[in-house]
Amino acid sequence: MADDFSDLAPPIVASLSAECEQSARARDNYTPELGEIICARIAGGEVIQTVCEDDDMPSRTTFYAWMDKYPELKTAYDKAVLLRVDKYVEETFEI
């Protein structure tokens, strides 16, 4: 039965390896400007998973660690999420 799943292991391992590599690359690269870019994208309607899939962005794990380390980023992210919700509500009313 293990043979039935053996072909699934390489993609999973590759995905985890890519996540770890991306996390290591971005772990200590926080800047307020990068935080603003991420939050602007969130406010514009994107979700953090999509933003963090870009090669020049941190992994979600790194981003969440940054929010713990930098309270101003957490505040900006919370505001961005509210702005995203407001955007979706306004779009709903337009329909």
Side-chain angles (χ1 to χ4, degrees):
M1 188 167 212
D3 291 335
D4 296 340
F5 300 105
S6 62
D7 59 333
L8 294 178
I12 292 170
V13 171
S15 175
L16 291 174
S17 294
E19 174 88 7
C20 290
E21 180 180 320
Q22 183 182 26
S23 180
R25 180 172 32 92
R27 185 174 295 126
D28 296 317
N29 294 335
Y30 174 76
T31 64
E33 294 79 17
L34 181 56
E36 288 176 18
I37 291 168
I38 294 169
C39 289
R41 290 178 63 180
I42 299 298
E46 291 185 68
V47 295
I48 196 64
Q49 178 177 342
T50 304
V51 172
C52 290
E53 287 174 353
D54 289 354
D55 290 337
D56 59 341
M57 291 292 156
S59 69
R60 285 187 304 159
T61 303
T62 296
F63 181 75
Y64 294 136
W66 286 354
M67 285 198 297
D68 287 339
K69 187 173 182 179
Y70 304 101
E72 67 278 7
L73 177 60
K74 173 70 169 133
T75 300
Y77 175 76
D78 290 344
K79 182 177 179 180
V81 169
L82 290 174
L83 290 170
R84 181 180 62 199
V85 169
D86 190 55
K87 176 186 183 316
Y88 289 147
V89 168
E90 286 181 5
E91 288 175 358
T92 302
F93 282 125
E94 289 176 4
I95 297 174

